[in-house]
Amino acid sequence: MGYAETVGGTRYVFADLKTLLARATPPRSGDRLAGLEAADMTERVAAQLALADLPLRRLIEDPVLPYETDEITRLIIDSHDRDAFVPIAAMTVGELRNWLLSDAVDTPALAHIVAGLTPEIAAAVSKIMRLQDLISVAAKCRVVTRFRNTIGLEGRLSTRLQPNHPTDDVRGIAASILDGLMLGSGDAVIGINPATDSLNKYLELTRFLDQLRERLDLPGQSCVLAHVTTALAAIERGAPVDLVFQSVAGTEAANRHFGINLALLREARDATLSLGRGTVGSNVMYFETGQGSALSAEAHHGVDQQTLEARAYAVARAFDPFLVNSVVGFIGPEYLFDGKEIIRAGLEDHFCGKLLGLPMGCDVCYTNHAEADQDDMDALMTLLGVAGCTYMMGVPGADDVMLSYQSSSFHDALYLRRVLGKRPAPEFEAWLERMGIADSAGRLTRHEHLDKALPLQRLVAAVQ
């Protein structure tokens, strides 16, 4: 079924829904690479106008990938809550945008429709929004998750302490963890990307992180970001696994490229839940996504990368995760060319994820061959902070020496908390005060007299 719109006397015809969605997408290099982007701004405007007039029901009745051949489509359709959809069922995409932005729609109203929204609906409405629209609506969304502490509460901004090391040296990792904890980072998770996916290294790192947590009485969770099958093998060997990690994508074929399917993710979640390691909650999954992952796997099926990114959130949503993270600029300039495209994509990802009920974080990042710099990242992290982003990365010096990309630092999180009046997770904040790292107002204390601060001595001793 085709779609058409006339602009400036020219009639534009879009063969099917996935073509319409692609042509309506703001510019990005991945869609240009795939030959999906609008030919010019006039065609893009025509597609956006046609999309704005599209009834929301069509985005459910006409999936971008066939129900019969893609398990992500089956997941989306089979889990759609028709009762939750009722308040918006008669709307068009444009009417949904206006409704979301209205003062009448608050946090409870958005929570009421979450299960009635599909990824294609979220992606479609984001394509006709300005940056301030994406920020305004995302700021009204509230998603709270719990394991050993609580993240996503209003007025809070958490961080993932990312202590990667190019050879997985435990002493080097420990030094980065000490640096991060002393600067108030790590309440979302202490998460290591291992340089190798070996089971023995996974076991070593997981046990080290758990011993460190116990010695510090730290109210937080850890994760070694190896493949889900490695985590499953480690659980079988009695490893103290808190969160299980996996990269996910928006098509069955792309997930197959990652070596996963929905059944495997379900098995991993069940195995992790069986350990019963959470103290205040049982959200145990950690997912990462990124625009362009399906295209890089040649598994995009002619669908634009932003719509597929939103479909990846359907996968995440099915497993009640503790954390979801868009590594927005990590895949490279072939998919998001410069700072402008990265900023737009980061705010789209955050908006779509939060609208769909996910605890969204963002790795505000870029690779060294992208047309971007730290000023671009400062702009994106500030906009995400205003939009209510659940958590961000804390990397020593903002330079990941193992993955070789530029991210955000411990100091960046301190900046955002300071200027926006945000604080860490409450349990972690209390620990920072107990350890003498922060005062009762949440301000970092000075550490010149470390020899006299017994809690801080304990912290240093724990990582030596």
Side-chain angles (χ1 to χ4, degrees):
M1 182 181 296
Y3 305 85
E5 187 70 37
T6 300
V7 175
T10 301
R11 182 173 173 80
Y12 293 89
V13 178
F14 309 99
D16 49 29
L17 180 58
K18 66 181 180 182
T19 302
L20 176 64
L21 290 167
R23 301 294 193 271
T25 307
R28 63 208 59 203
S29 55
D31 290 342
R32 290 192 291 276
L33 178 67
L36 301 175
E37 191 175 63
D40 52 36
M41 285 300 296
T42 306
E43 185 184 19
R44 181 171 293 110
V45 168
Q48 290 173 339
L49 288 170
L51 185 60
D53 290 336
L54 186 73
L56 295 180
R57 290 185 182 278
R58 293 284 289 278
L59 290 157
I60 300 170
E61 296 165 354
D62 186 18
V64 294
L65 294 178
Y67 182 93
E68 297 75 18
T69 60
D70 186 271
E71 71 169 353
I72 312 307
T73 300
R74 292 195 291 276
L75 172 68
I76 292 167
I77 300 301
D78 294 348
S79 62
H80 182 244
D81 187 329
R82 295 183 180 181
D83 292 335
F85 183 59
V86 167
I88 59 173
M91 294 183 188
T92 64
V93 173
E95 289 168 343
L96 176 63
R97 172 193 174 273
N98 295 339
W99 183 77
L100 291 171
L101 289 166
S102 69
D103 289 337
V105 175
D106 56 11
T107 300
L110 291 173
H112 182 68
I113 66 164
V114 162
L117 293 168
T118 67
E120 287 85 354
I121 290 174
V125 74
S126 75
K127 294 175 191 295
I128 60 170
M129 285 182 155
R130 295 168 56 186
L131 297 189
Q132 68 172 252
D133 299 341
L134 299 171
I135 294 167
S136 296
V137 177
K140 294 193 284 187
C141 298
R142 185 74 50 226
V143 182
V144 178
T145 55
R146 297 175 173 87
F147 188 74
R148 284 198 193 90
N149 60 26
T150 308
I151 66 168
L153 295 169
E154 188 170 3
R156 305 283 174 168
L157 173 67
S158 297
T159 61
R160 168 188 160 188
L161 201 171
Q162 184 169 303
N164 296 342
H165 191 279
T167 63
D168 290 333
D169 179 75
V170 172
R171 290 181 63 84
I173 290 169
S176 293
I177 292 174
L178 174 61
D179 188 19
L181 292 175
M182 295 279 279
L183 291 169
S185 183
D187 52 334
V189 66
I190 299 176
I192 304 170
N193 295 92
T196 171
D197 205 38
S198 94
L199 176 58
N200 287 338
K201 180 57 67 172
Y202 184 99
L203 291 167
E204 177 189 3
L205 294 177
T206 302
R207 288 166 179 160
F208 163 71
L209 289 173
D210 194 53
Q211 291 166 3
L212 178 65
R213 177 190 61 81
E214 289 182 339
R215 290 178 68 180
L216 293 175
D217 192 24
L218 181 67
Q221 39 285 323
S222 64
C223 183
V224 178
L225 281 72
H227 193 269
V228 65
T229 53
T230 305
L232 276 168
I235 290 171
E236 290 176 358
R237 295 197 180 192
V241 175
D242 288 346
L243 307 182
V244 167
F245 166 83
Q246 184 56 49
S247 294
V248 295
T251 73
E252 180 179 342
N255 283 322
R256 191 181 308 121
H257 179 80
F258 286 148
I260 62 166
N261 55 35
L262 298 178
L264 180 60
L265 295 177
R266 195 171 299 112
E267 179 186 355
R269 180 173 182 267
D270 290 345
T272 313
L273 284 172
S274 73
L275 301 178
R277 293 177 56 80
T279 55
V280 298
S282 57
N283 301 110
V284 297
M285 301 300 285
Y286 176 9
F287 294 113
E288 286 192 349
T289 65
Q291 288 194 29
S293 58
L295 176 58
S296 69
E298 298 184 350
H300 65 294
H301 305 296
V303 182
D304 71 273
Q305 65 184 40
Q306 191 257 333
T307 298
L308 291 183
E309 172 72 3
R311 282 170 56 94
Y313 302 153
V315 178
R317 185 166 66 170
F319 298 99
D320 199 19
F322 183 71
L323 304 169
V324 179
N325 178 42
S326 165
V327 285
V328 62
F330 181 75
I331 302 181
E334 299 84 0
Y335 307 96
L336 296 169
F337 179 71
D338 57 15
K340 184 177 179 66
E341 292 187 5
I342 292 171
I343 289 170
R344 171 82 198 187
L347 292 171
E348 288 170 347
D349 294 351
H350 178 255
F351 163 85
C352 289
K354 290 293 279 293
L355 193 64
L356 292 167
L358 292 175
M360 285 301 295
C362 186
D363 192 344
V364 178
C365 63
Y366 64 100
T367 57
N368 290 311
H369 61 313
E371 291 294 322
D373 59 27
Q374 210 62 42
D375 283 344
D376 295 315
M377 300 304 103
D378 284 350
L380 177 54
M381 78 172 74
T382 304
L383 294 171
L384 284 166
V386 174
C389 190
T390 300
Y391 74 103
M392 57 186 288
M393 301 298 110
V395 177
D399 184 1
D400 193 298
V401 295
M402 194 281 281
L403 293 173
S404 298
Y405 79 115
Q406 308 305 307
S407 185
S408 51
S409 71
F410 307 133
H411 295 85
D412 291 330
L414 291 175
Y415 145 73
L416 270 188
R417 286 173 178 164
R418 185 181 306 116
V419 300
L420 298 177
K422 304 273 189 177
R423 300 173 75 157
E427 301 91 342
F428 187 80
E429 183 179 43
W431 179 85
L432 291 174
E433 184 180 354
R434 189 166 71 248
M435 294 296 290
I437 296 171
D439 61 22
S440 59
R443 297 174 301 226
L444 292 184
T445 55
R446 301 180 69 179
H447 308 310
E448 285 89 341
H449 305 294
L450 186 60
D451 58 324
K452 298 179 182 179
L454 293 178
L456 288 176
Q457 287 185 47
R458 182 180 169 204
L459 178 65
V460 174
V463 299
Q464 287 180 337

